[in-house]
Amino acid sequence: GDIGRMVPSRDARRGLEGLPAALTDLRDAAAGATFALEAPGVEQARVERTALVRQIDDYFLPRLASLDAPLLAVVGGSTGAGKSTLVNSLAREQVTAASVLRPTTRAPVLVCSPTDRRWFEGGRILPGLARTTGNPGGPQTLHLVTSGNVPVGLALLDAPDIDSVVSENRELAAQLLAAADLWVFVTTAARYADAVPWEMLRGAQRRKAAIGVVLNRVPEEAAEQVPRALATMLRAEGLGGANVFTVAESSPHDGRLAEGEVDELRHWLHGLAADADARASVIRRTLSGALGDLDRRAQALASADEAQAAAASELLAAAGQSYAGARRDVDEGVRDGTVLRGEVLARWQEFVGTGELLRSVQATVSRVRDRLVAAFSGRPSADLEVRGAVESEVEALIRAAADTAAQRTVSAWRRDPAGRHLLGGADRELATSSAELAERLPKEIRGWQGRVLDLVREQGADKRTTARVASYTVNGAGLAVMLAVFAQTGGLTGLEIVVAGGTSAAGQKVLEAIFGDQAVRSLAREARADLLGCVDVILHTEHERFTARIEQARPSSGVDLGAALRRWRSAYAGHVVWAP
């Protein structure tokens, strides 16, 4: 192939300098993209995110920091293809376990010259794998073995099966291959057309990795036919430049093939190790191809991240519309006289004697005021009954609006995959207002009523009105202001309009005589705004039951993946290109 014929351009050497920082930025942004919402394609995005973060940690950053480090050749392939036997044969000693039991390779084994041990015993490459020596470790470990039969400048890594029945083995195999400078891909005459290996090889082709393919266990009668068929398939996949090595069918002894069976492959690998320029060209070719492919992969992640943001926005909009509608419902209920119906109207009539007040409206304001003062002064508990009725009606109005908003939000979220996932089986609980609302509402409404009384008291502090407020009583004036808030009687009919309207008019005449017409309108307007402000806070808390679920699914790092990708592209900007 063309391995060994590539040299770095002068611009390319300079282009390496700014890449580690940009890669680290991109890595952090990708790691922070949680992809927690069940948007289309999210499963693949999660897999690719993990793979990209690992490759930056395992391969890009270490290799960019040490271009002169030994060439890492990862030996990968299907179950039972003979990878461990091949590594033992290349090292001329048993350095990794080979067995008929499957899966055999659990912890990957890295074999290198004693001189090169320093490159691999720390966390320079594959920092997430703990190092073991002596006896192999368990999962998520890298067993380090030194051999004098492996030349300086080369390391062989025996990877788990890419099609292992154990998912952790498959994931680790893919991770190790992504960290390789050179792929030594092992297949057999019986299984060279299997689907899984070709998926991995296509990935290698996309990143233009340097590849050597070992066709193992080739029967004598198929020594020409099978290699030719494999070469045809490689060309069809754009891998015609891969070096292919054929190993005849034979019986291993002590975990190794007969001497001479892997001489061609050994000669090729040892030649790369001995020739600094050829070794560097392989390293740079794979690095350059992987960096070029990184843009495509990061763009796919950024698009998936944008899809997450769009899904979150749609869910937020659905909840926002529902609770905005609830606010409008309460506002309308406050303005259309709904609260003045039923119990409030009855208690008010009992309190002030509606019929007599209506007949007295035409009389002087002072006489009407005197009648109200007598009512307020003579029945100290009656005002509490009116306030209690107002509290009950306003509470029912707000709770009904909150229930409706919750039901509408749950219905909208059920129609969306991401929404269904976020509901997480709490549909019934979330489809009504919260238990906390039932406890909070009476306190909030009583608080509002108290603030109305404070408004009246503050307004009456003026020297001109203090005496009149004292005679009218703060409670009586406060009740009149409360009813003025609900006195737009568009929702009442018949006698209710006459009674409520007349009652309100009588109360308003008295208030105007005490405070002045501008002050009365200001009091009612301020009291209504205060009530609706209280409603806003209450509904916001109810709304947060849904928005909190979306916020919990957002990235915690706060790093924008799209912005990190743009910074990476600016740093890369075509500088890392090695001319043939």
Side-chain angles (χ1 to χ4, degrees):
D2 56 3
I3 292 176
R5 299 207 308 268
M6 305 181 75
V7 294
S9 68
R10 187 172 300 172
D11 289 342
R13 293 180 187 273
R14 289 197 298 267
L16 291 172
E17 295 173 0
L19 293 184
L23 279 169
T24 300
D25 190 18
L26 182 61
R27 178 244 184 251
D28 292 344
T34 57
F35 298 114
L37 296 178
E38 295 299 318
V42 69
E43 285 296 336
Q44 181 57 37
R46 290 167 184 160
V47 171
E48 183 57 37
R49 171 200 59 199
T50 300
L52 186 143
V53 169
R54 284 176 173 170
Q55 190 178 30
I56 292 176
D57 287 341
D58 296 344
Y59 172 66
F60 284 120
L61 293 176
R63 181 46 79 189
L64 285 169
S66 306
L67 284 174
D68 56 341
L71 184 146
L72 179 62
V74 175
V75 181
S78 302
T79 301
K83 300 182 295 298
S84 299
T85 300
L86 182 69
V87 171
N88 289 335
S89 301
L90 288 169
R92 289 192 169 99
E93 60 178 303
Q94 188 164 345
V95 292
T96 181
S99 172
V100 294
L101 298 177
R102 300 290 175 246
T104 298
T105 304
R106 290 180 172 84
V109 178
L110 188 147
V111 189
C112 66
S113 163
T115 303
D116 287 335
R117 179 185 180 123
R118 63 186 179 88
W119 291 105
F120 304 107
E121 60 187 356
R124 191 191 72 83
I125 65 164
L126 302 164
L129 301 181
R131 271 43 173 180
T132 63
T133 57
N135 295 321
Q140 297 305 305
T141 64
L142 178 64
H143 188 55
L144 185 59
V145 178
T146 58
S147 171
N149 295 323
V150 176
V152 174
L154 174 69
L156 301 173
L157 201 162
D158 184 13
D161 303 328
I162 61 172
D163 56 355
S164 173
V165 295
V166 180
S167 61
E168 291 82 358
N169 281 358
R170 296 195 303 272
E171 293 170 4
L172 182 55
Q175 179 184 353
L176 298 176
L177 286 168
D181 296 310
L182 171 66
W183 288 24
V184 178
F185 211 84
V186 186
T187 186
T188 67
R191 301 188 58 186
Y192 67 89
D194 286 359
V196 174
W198 283 100
E199 281 300 312
M200 300 296 289
L201 287 169
R202 291 185 188 103
Q205 191 277 333
R206 283 194 299 271
R207 57 181 284 200
K208 297 179 175 59
I211 301 175
V213 179
V214 178
L215 184 58
N216 198 14
R217 302 183 191 137
V218 179
E220 185 178 353
E221 61 273 16
E224 293 184 5
Q225 179 183 0
V226 172
R228 187 164 53 245
L230 175 60
T232 300
M233 294 180 69
L234 288 169
R235 284 194 299 272
E237 296 292 345
L239 293 166
N243 290 267
V244 179
F245 304 92
T246 301
V247 178
E249 188 174 34
S250 63
S251 298
H253 180 68
D254 291 335
R256 286 184 282 161
L257 297 169
E259 190 64 33
E261 287 293 339
V262 295
D263 279 355
E264 187 181 0
L265 175 60
R266 182 187 293 113
H267 176 74
W268 179 60
L269 292 173
H270 284 220
L272 290 176
D275 186 338
D277 288 340
R279 183 174 70 249
S281 293
V282 170
I283 291 171
R284 287 165 176 147
R285 167 186 169 165
T286 298
L287 177 59
S288 179
L291 286 170
D293 190 48
L294 180 64
D295 185 84
R296 175 192 63 81
R297 297 166 60 197
Q299 179 57 62
L301 278 185
S303 297
D305 196 44
E306 291 172 0
Q308 290 277 299
S313 295
E314 290 179 7
L315 295 175
L316 286 171
Q321 290 170 5
S322 297
Y323 281 91
R327 207 275 189 186
R328 289 192 298 272
D329 290 345
V330 174
D331 189 17
E332 183 178 347
V334 167
R335 293 176 182 276
D336 69 4
T338 297
V339 174
L340 290 180
R341 293 174 175 173
E343 191 70 14
V344 173
L345 192 60
R347 296 287 77 78
W348 175 256
Q349 291 176 17
E350 292 175 2
F351 182 44
V352 298
T354 302
E356 184 175 349
L357 275 174
L358 287 174
R359 289 191 297 273
S360 302
V361 166
Q362 304 303 321
T364 64
V365 169
S366 61
R367 290 175 56 191
V368 174
R369 186 175 69 240
D370 291 343
R371 296 294 301 160
L372 287 171
V373 168
F376 295 150
S377 302
R379 301 178 61 190
S381 65
D383 65 318
L384 296 179
E385 294 180 2
V386 179
R387 287 172 61 180
V390 170
E391 177 186 319
S392 178
E393 291 298 324
V394 174
E395 179 181 343
L397 175 65
I398 297 173
R399 184 181 296 176
D403 284 341
T404 300
Q407 180 59 56
R408 287 173 177 168
T409 302
V410 168
S411 296
W413 281 26
R414 280 175 179 160
R415 295 191 292 270
D416 187 291
R420 283 197 302 273
H421 179 75
L422 284 183
L423 288 172
D427 303 42
R428 289 188 178 184
E429 175 188 345
L430 291 170
T432 60
S433 56
S434 68
E436 291 78 6
L437 180 68
E439 297 180 5
R440 180 181 181 183
L441 264 180
K443 298 176 184 177
E444 294 287 350
I445 297 168
R446 286 195 292 272
W448 169 72
Q449 291 177 328
R451 291 192 296 276
V452 172
L453 297 181
D454 290 340
L455 281 174
V456 170
R457 189 176 291 109
E458 291 168 6
Q459 186 69 32
D462 184 274
K463 293 180 180 179
R464 294 173 300 170
T465 59
T466 300
R468 286 176 290 183
V469 171
S471 64
Y472 187 62
T473 78
V474 169
N475 286 349
L479 284 175
V481 171
M482 289 179 206
L483 265 66
V485 169
F486 309 111
Q488 297 187 13
T489 55
L492 303 180
T493 58
L495 181 61
E496 290 180 325
I497 293 178
V498 174
V499 174
T503 299
S504 174
Q508 184 168 331
K509 288 292 184 182
V510 174
L511 291 174
E512 288 176 358
I514 296 173
F515 299 107
D517 58 348
Q518 287 289 352
V520 171
R521 283 191 287 271
S522 176
L523 280 170
R525 185 166 55 249
E526 191 169 349
R528 180 181 289 114
D530 188 357
L531 176 60
L532 293 177
C534 182
V535 169
D536 286 340
V537 172
I538 291 169
L539 292 179
H540 177 74
T541 301
E542 292 293 291
H543 186 192
E544 280 186 329
R545 296 187 302 157
F546 294 94
T547 58
R549 290 174 176 257
I550 297 176
E551 292 304 321
Q552 289 170 4
R554 290 183 183 273
S556 58
S557 69
V559 180
D560 187 293
L561 183 53
L565 175 58
R566 289 190 292 275
R567 288 191 292 271
W568 152 252
R569 285 173 170 168
S570 177
Y572 182 58
H575 292 304
V576 182
V577 175
W578 282 277

